[in-house]
Amino acid sequence: MSDVQEATNQLLQVNLHENQMSIQVTESDSRSESEHLRVTIGATVPTGFEQTAADEVREKLRSSCKISKDRGKIYFDISVESLAQVHCLRSVDNLFVVVQELKDYQFKETKEEVLKDFEELAGKLPWSDPLKVWKINTSFKKKKTKRKKINQNSSKEKIDNGRGDKRDERDAKKAVTNNALDSCILDYYENPAIKEEISTLVGDELASCKDETDSEMLKFRVTCNRAGEKHCFSSNEAARDFGGAVQDYFKWKADMTNFDVEVLLNIHDNEIIVGIALTEESLHRRNITHFGPTTLRSTLAYGMLRLCAPQPTDIIVDPMCGTGAIPIEGATEWSNCFHVAGDNNPLAVNRAANNISSLLTKSQIKEGKPSWGLPIDAIQWDICNLPLRTGSVDIIVTDMPFGKRMGSKKRNWNLYPACLWEMGRVCRPGTGRAALLTQDKKCFTKALSGMGHVWQKVHTVWVNIGGLHAAVYLLKRTLQAFVHPSEQDKEELLGNAKNEDD
C-alpha cells in the first residue's frame, strides 16, 4: 500500500471516529436535556377524589402532589421522560402542562383594564418548555394510533399451514418487532425496565422539535375555565382577548373545532393558571364501548375501588353493575382479585358482558397473542336475593339507583334497606367493606340507621355527578355474624323505611 493510500485510510478513520463521537455527544446532550427538563402537570379528577388521585400520583410516579383550591384539580412535577407514565394514571380525567401559575393576581377595577392585561400576559409567559412537552405528547399519540392499526391488522390474519401463511406470520412478527418501541412508550407503567429506551426517544423528540414548533403553522383555540364571583369579565371575553394575543405572538391560526393546540386559561378567584392540554378527550372513556343510560365514569369507579383498598385474592362484587364500569376497572387495575358484575336487568348484563369481551379483545391485540382471560364474570340476579354464600364477599362497590333516570325516589325507600340487608349477609364479618354511591342521601341515611349492627360508616366522599350532588359512603362490616331474619322482621324493617317516606 502506498503512503498516499495509507494516509487517506487514516484520514477516513479519523473522520468516521469524529462523526461517531459527534453523534454520541448529540444524543448525550438530548438525553441530558430530557432528564433535566421538568415540568408541572395539571390534571382534572372527579370532584371529591382529589386526595385519592394525589395518593396514586405519589405511589406510581414518586412525585409530590398539590391539591388545588379549585375543586377537581391536582398538580405535580415530573421529568419529561415520565410523560407516558402519566397517561397510565387511572384517577385522572384530563391532563395539561402548566405554562405558568400566577398566585394572588391583582385584577384591575375595570373590564377594559383587565382584558388589556390578558393581552399583555401572552407575550410574557415561558412557552418554550411546555410546547416541547406538547410536541413530545403529540408524537406519543401518533405512535399509539399507528401501533393500534398495525396490531389490529396482524390480529385479523388467519394463520394456516401453507407456506404463504407462514410468510404472513413472519410479516406479522416483523410488524410487532418494528413497533416494539411504540409499545414501550405506551406500556411504560407496566414495563419500568424500558426507561432508558424512552429517555433516548424523548431526547430525539426534543432535538427534532427545537425549531419545528416555530416553523409550523399550527391551529389553536383558548378555553377559559373561571370560578369566582368578583370578576368583572366573562369567560368568553377572557378567552377572546387572551386568544387574540396568543395568535399575534405565535402567528397561529385560530380554529375552534379542528385545533392542534388547546391553550387553557384557568381562573379561580385571584389565581390564574395558563396551560396546554395534553388530552383531546377524557381518559375516563378508556374501558366502555357499550354505554347505558347511567354509565359511571371509569375514573370515579377507580376512586371508589381504591377507597376499599383491595388486597390479593379479594372477591369484589358490584350487585347493580349497569354497564360494568366498576368491575371492569377493577379487573384492569386489581387483576389479583376476582370481580363479579351482576344486575337484575338483562340488557344491563348484556352490555356488561359486551364491555368485558371488548376489553379482552383489546388485551389480546395489545399482547399480540391469545389471552388466558380476565378475572371477571357477569351474571343476572336479584339484588335482594343474591346467589352467594353468607360471608363470602370481601368488597362491595356499586352505583345505587338515584331515583332520577333509573328507578324512583319512592321505590328507593323499599330498595335501599333490602339492599343493605342482603349486602350485609354476603359480606365477610370484621373485614368486609363497601363503597356505595347515591344521590338519594336522605333515603340512604335512614336505611343505614337501622343497620348499625351490620354496617359501620367510616367515611363520606361528596362528589358531583353530572351536576347532581351525590355521596360515596365507605362502610365497614361489623364483627357480628349475620342472623337470617324472619319474614316479620323484614316486613317491619321495610315498613319503617316506607313510613319515613310518607
Side-chain angles (χ1 to χ4, degrees):
M1 181 183 296
S2 66
D3 294 339
V4 175
Q5 288 176 325
E6 186 176 354
T8 302
N9 289 338
Q10 289 178 353
L11 182 60
L12 288 173
Q13 290 175 359
V14 168
N15 288 338
L16 180 61
H17 179 69
E18 288 178 351
N19 289 336
Q20 290 174 341
M21 289 294 291
S22 175
I23 293 171
Q24 290 173 359
V25 168
T26 303
E27 291 178 349
S28 176
D29 290 344
S30 298
R31 191 175 306 172
S32 176
E33 185 177 357
S34 72
E35 290 172 354
H36 289 92
L37 179 55
R38 293 188 65 84
V39 292
T40 300
I41 299 294
T44 60
V45 302
T47 56
F49 282 92
E50 294 88 353
Q51 188 60 54
T52 302
D55 291 341
E56 185 191 13
V57 168
R58 296 187 189 102
E59 176 188 305
K60 294 180 178 178
L61 299 180
R62 301 289 189 267
S63 174
S64 60
C65 187
K66 182 185 77 171
I67 298 174
S68 173
K69 290 183 291 185
D70 186 11
R71 290 196 72 195
K73 291 187 179 69
I74 61 172
Y75 296 92
F76 50 94
D77 296 332
I78 63 162
S79 62
V80 72
E81 63 182 17
S82 299
L83 186 60
Q85 192 177 359
V86 172
H87 282 270
C88 295
L89 294 173
R90 314 297 296 183
S91 57
V92 303
D93 287 320
N94 290 286
L95 297 166
F96 58 94
V97 56
V98 174
V99 176
Q100 190 169 19
E101 178 182 8
L102 304 171
K103 296 181 180 179
D104 298 323
Y105 186 85
Q106 299 300 315
F107 291 101
K108 299 291 178 61
E109 293 184 0
T110 66
K111 180 194 296 186
E112 290 73 16
E113 290 178 312
V114 172
L115 297 178
K116 182 66 176 177
D117 286 346
F118 282 150
E119 292 177 7
E120 295 176 355
L121 178 63
K124 300 176 182 178
L125 296 174
W127 295 99
S128 178
D129 286 351
L131 282 172
K132 288 178 184 177
V133 173
W134 171 83
K135 181 73 176 179
I136 295 167
N137 186 76
T138 303
S139 175
F140 285 174
K141 289 190 291 186
K142 287 179 180 177
K143 291 176 184 294
K144 178 179 180 179
T145 303
K146 178 182 175 184
R147 184 172 70 94
K148 272 186 178 179
K149 289 180 179 178
I150 291 180
N151 282 345
Q152 285 172 353
N153 291 336
S154 299
S155 66
K156 289 178 182 178
E157 293 179 0
K158 295 182 180 179
I159 300 173
D160 299 323
N161 294 324
R163 292 182 179 177
D165 297 326
K166 288 182 179 180
R167 185 164 55 252
D168 291 341
E169 184 179 1
R170 286 195 300 270
D171 292 341
K173 288 181 179 179
K174 184 177 179 181
V176 171
T177 302
N178 290 340
N179 285 273
L181 185 56
D182 299 344
S183 177
C184 287
I185 298 169
L186 300 162
D187 303 333
Y188 180 98
Y189 173 58
E190 290 85 351
N191 303 287
I194 61 169
K195 184 175 181 180
E196 185 67 23
E197 294 180 26
I198 292 182
S199 178
T200 302
L201 179 73
V202 169
D204 294 341
E205 292 295 340
L206 279 172
S208 65
C209 74
K210 284 180 179 178
D211 302 318
E212 285 183 17
T213 305
D214 296 331
S215 61
E216 289 181 5
M217 174 57 72
L218 296 175
K219 292 180 287 186
F220 84 106
R221 81 172 186 187
V222 171
T223 302
C224 179
N225 302 299
R226 185 179 60 87
E229 299 177 356
K230 297 182 179 179
H231 302 139
C232 60
F233 56 91
S234 68
S235 299
N236 286 338
E237 289 171 334
R240 179 196 65 202
D241 287 47
F242 182 71
V246 170
Q247 184 176 28
D248 293 339
Y249 183 77
F250 287 107
K251 308 303 180 186
W252 291 343
K253 181 180 178 181
D255 193 320
M256 298 297 104
T257 53
N258 295 323
F259 51 88
D260 301 303
V261 183
E262 182 177 20
V263 178
L264 304 175
L265 181 63
N266 296 329
I267 304 172
H268 183 260
D269 291 332
N270 62 339
E271 179 184 78
I272 296 179
I273 296 180
V274 180
I276 299 175
L278 300 179
T279 48
E280 294 176 2
E281 65 175 6
S282 176
L283 299 176
H284 80 262
R285 298 177 180 273
R286 55 182 171 257
N287 292 331
I288 305 301
T289 55
H290 295 72
F291 291 85
T294 58
T295 301
L296 192 69
R297 290 155 59 186
S298 296
T299 47
L300 184 54
Y302 173 86
M304 294 173 64
L305 284 159
R306 191 176 173 99
L307 281 178
C308 296
Q311 301 299 312
T313 73
D314 276 353
I315 305 297
I316 305 176
V317 173
D318 181 354
M320 293 177 276
C321 69
T323 56
I326 293 173
I328 287 174
E329 183 66 24
T332 304
E333 183 68 9
W334 289 277
S335 58
N336 51 9
C337 302
F338 190 78
H339 306 263
V340 182
D343 203 288
N344 71 328
N345 189 332
L347 293 177
V349 176
N350 188 49
R351 290 191 194 101
N354 286 331
N355 283 322
I356 293 169
S357 178
S358 297
L359 183 63
L360 184 60
T361 302
K362 179 181 174 183
S363 177
Q364 290 174 342
I365 292 174
K366 179 179 175 181
E367 295 177 6
K369 61 181 180 180
S371 172
W372 287 102
L374 296 167
I376 186 173
D377 206 351
I379 185 173
Q380 183 180 352
W381 59 27
D382 177 6
I383 175 59
C384 301
N385 188 23
L386 297 174
L388 300 171
R389 289 181 300 176
T390 299
S392 62
V393 174
D394 296 289
I395 296 174
I396 296 175
V397 182
T398 197
D399 175 11
M400 302 182 76
F402 286 13
K404 298 283 187 180
R405 282 177 288 182
M406 294 293 290
S408 68
K409 293 273 189 181
K410 188 173 183 179
R411 286 182 59 192
N412 283 351
W413 287 96
N414 286 331
L415 179 65
Y416 279 22
C419 288
L420 286 172
W421 194 283
E422 185 66 359
M423 290 178 191
R425 179 186 72 82
V426 301
C427 207
R428 206 179 301 277
T431 60
R433 52 263 190 221
L436 309 178
L437 169 66
T438 179
Q439 190 263 340
D440 198 347
K441 300 179 288 293
K442 180 181 177 182
C443 179
F444 185 88
T445 302
K446 177 60 181 177
L448 187 63
S449 65
M451 302 283 178
H453 61 293
V454 177
W455 291 112
Q456 176 187 354
K457 187 171 74 170
V458 178
H459 184 51
T460 304
V461 178
W462 304 105
V463 296
N464 188 302
I465 308 292
L468 298 175
H469 189 55
V472 176
Y473 294 92
L474 179 62
L475 310 179
K476 183 179 180 182
R477 181 67 167 84
T478 63
L479 283 167
Q480 181 172 326
F482 185 84
V483 178
H484 288 273
S486 63
E487 289 299 323
Q488 184 178 355
D489 292 337
K490 266 193 174 182
E491 289 177 6
E492 288 180 1
L493 177 68
L494 296 176
N496 291 337
K498 190 174 182 179
N499 292 335
E500 180 70 20
D501 181 34
D502 298 335

